[in-house]
Amino acid sequence: MRTRVLVADDSGVVRAVLTEQLSARGFTVLQAADGEQALTVCRRERPDIVLLDVDMPVRTGHEVLTELRGAAETRDIPVVFLTGRAQVSDAAEGLALGAHDYLRKPVEPIELVARMTTALRLSELQDELRRRNDELSESVGRLEEANAELTNANKLAADLIAMLSHDLRQPLTTIIAYAEVLVTDWSGVPDSDKHQSLERMHAAARHLDQLVEEVLIMVRAETDAMPTERREIVAAAAVHEALTVLAVAPDAVTVRDPASARALVDPGHLKHILSNLLGNALKYGAPPVEVEVGHAAGAVEIRISDHGEGVPAEFVPRVFDRFARAGSGVATTKKGTGLGLYIVRQLAHANRATVRYERNEPAGASFILRLEAPPDGAAA
């Protein structure tokens, strides 16, 4: 189904140009010549997205947006402001009213479509969060357990919206900013700068992809929609595979597995768990980083240790919490979302496993993953 765009601008020329550009790219375009018409079209047609001029007769763009956000049937329609103004305060006012983005005219078609696509994707994520929250709200009733689920869903929604507005927007902004420079002045940008810009866009895109993957895992875990297919694997082989994925030098991590232990676990989940724990040891800890695999009372334990400063004592009770970040120590000097260890714990639980933290002696951190062993306790 074609995406329907309302172009609301008092300039017939602007409407005509945008209609031609968007139609050529597969959009269905609706038009409005003033603020009142824009409201009427939104209420009647419910467009997928609105391109809204700030300075319009009858009602300004800001007034239109206020009306849209105040009505249940139109409050979720994403709005991108278009304006000829140059003041930063105007953009801030529009965003504060609930606009998804703010563009200055004239707008390059490539940038316009990119910003619209971003706004639509963010809106879809927010709609999904609201839908899940509504579904939980309907089931609350008189059950105390349902009340707890609703509280958690509300917290998840707030955390995700905060993440959308900060952690996800940062790499998006980087990609858009460098793309804008290349698109507007490709011939005037030196080749070395082009290459550097593309490298930074690529890094931002990879970072964004990682964040999205973490969000998807988190939401699946929270909604008990985590598919888990456990099978017997060689624990040490999984460790070496994770080290390969992380591109860790062979001598950077020592792996000891005297018993060639085997465990029951979803291989994809274990790969994510080990990559996260090993990545943390290398990122926040100090060498030597050591991995010890062995049997322990009918289970298999994988202990990952480093010799850094360890987890601050006051943070230990929250180390596996969602979006938790230590307020002191080396963690404050590194970028992160606070989702990694939370996802590790959720994936462990999905595999009937546990994960815990212990202080390494004489210094450092140890994270111990305890997995179920096969019924016969097999060893290779």
Side-chain angles (χ1 to χ4, degrees), residues 244-257:
T244 300
V245 171
L246 292 171
V248 177
D251 59 348
V253 177
T254 301
V255 181
R256 293 191 295 272
D257 179 30

Side-chain angles (χ1 to χ4, degrees), residues 227-373:
T228 303
E229 297 182 7
R230 298 196 309 158
R231 61 174 183 263
E232 187 175 325
I233 58 94
V234 178
V239 173
H240 287 294
E241 181 182 358
L243 291 172
T244 300
V245 171
L246 292 171
V248 177
D251 59 348
V253 177
T254 301
V255 181
R256 293 191 295 272
D257 179 30
S260 297
R262 294 176 176 269
L264 286 174
V265 65
D266 185 301
H269 291 177
L270 182 59
K271 178 180 176 181
H272 197 103
I273 291 171
L274 292 175
S275 295
N276 205 306
L277 294 178
L278 288 165
N280 280 357
L282 295 165
K283 181 178 179 180
Y284 299 110
V289 175
E290 301 163 329
V291 180
E292 186 169 355
V293 183
H295 292 287
V300 173
E301 287 193 346
I302 303 176
R303 178 183 292 264
I304 299 174
S305 305
D306 66 75
H307 290 73
E309 63 183 34
V311 176
E314 69 277 7
F315 185 65
V316 170
R318 298 190 298 116
V319 70
F320 291 104
D321 287 356
R322 186 175 67 209
F323 293 114
R325 295 271 293 162
S328 62
V330 68
T332 61
T333 67
K334 308 285 186 179
K335 291 184 178 180
T337 62
L339 272 179
L341 289 177
Y342 171 79
I343 290 174
V344 164
R345 184 183 65 179
Q346 297 300 99
L347 290 176
H349 286 179
N351 285 271
R352 305 177 199 170
T354 62
V355 61
R356 69 184 188 274
Y357 166 78
E358 293 179 1
R359 179 164 177 80
N360 193 26
E361 297 298 341
S366 290
F367 286 88
I368 301 94
L369 177 66
R370 186 180 179 88
L371 302 167
E372 186 177 342

Side-chain angles (χ1 to χ4, degrees), residues 91-343:
E93 181 181 356
L95 294 173
L97 290 173
H100 282 66
D101 212 334
Y102 205 101
L103 293 171
R104 294 188 178 89
K105 297 185 285 187
V107 182
E108 289 291 334
I110 293 177
E111 180 184 10
L112 176 61
V113 172
R115 298 288 188 96
M116 287 171 55
T117 301
T118 298
L120 286 166
R121 286 176 180 170
L122 291 174
S123 180
E124 288 172 2
L125 284 171
Q126 290 170 340
D127 288 344
E128 176 66 14
L129 290 173
R130 292 190 186 96
R131 186 183 68 78
R132 291 183 181 276
N133 190 52
D134 290 342
E135 289 174 353
L136 285 173
S137 297
E138 292 173 2
S139 67
V140 169
R142 293 179 296 273
L143 298 176
E144 182 178 354
E145 180 180 352
N147 281 327
E149 289 179 0
L150 178 61
T151 300
N152 186 58
N154 286 335
K155 180 64 166 59
L156 173 62
D159 288 343
L160 280 176
I161 289 172
M163 187 179 188
L164 286 172
S165 64
H166 183 263
D167 293 293
L168 292 185
R169 183 166 292 216
Q170 282 186 334
L172 277 175
T173 301
T174 298
I175 293 169
I176 291 170
Y178 280 105
E180 181 178 8
V181 171
L182 294 177
V183 168
T184 56
D185 189 24
W186 175 264
S187 60
V189 178
D191 288 344
S192 59
D193 290 349
K194 290 177 184 175
H195 187 267
Q196 185 180 62
S197 295
L198 291 172
E199 283 184 336
R200 291 178 178 175
M201 291 168 65
H202 181 250
R206 288 179 61 85
H207 178 51
L208 182 60
D209 181 65
Q210 180 182 357
L211 290 175
V212 170
E213 179 65 21
E214 288 184 345
V215 169
L216 291 175
I217 292 175
M218 180 183 68
V219 172
R220 290 183 190 127
E222 287 285 342
T223 56
D224 295 323
M226 180 75 70
T228 303
E229 297 182 7
R230 298 196 309 158
R231 61 174 183 263
E232 187 175 325
I233 58 94
V234 178
V239 173
H240 287 294
E241 181 182 358
L243 291 172
T244 300
V245 171
L246 292 171
V248 177
D251 59 348
V253 177
T254 301
V255 181
R256 293 191 295 272
D257 179 30
S260 297
R262 294 176 176 269
L264 286 174
V265 65
D266 185 301
H269 291 177
L270 182 59
K271 178 180 176 181
H272 197 103
I273 291 171
L274 292 175
S275 295
N276 205 306
L277 294 178
L278 288 165
N280 280 357
L282 295 165
K283 181 178 179 180
Y284 299 110
V289 175
E290 301 163 329
V291 180
E292 186 169 355
V293 183
H295 292 287
V300 173
E301 287 193 346
I302 303 176
R303 178 183 292 264
I304 299 174
S305 305
D306 66 75
H307 290 73
E309 63 183 34
V311 176
E314 69 277 7
F315 185 65
V316 170
R318 298 190 298 116
V319 70
F320 291 104
D321 287 356
R322 186 175 67 209
F323 293 114
R325 295 271 293 162
S328 62
V330 68
T332 61
T333 67
K334 308 285 186 179
K335 291 184 178 180
T337 62
L339 272 179
L341 289 177
Y342 171 79
I343 290 174

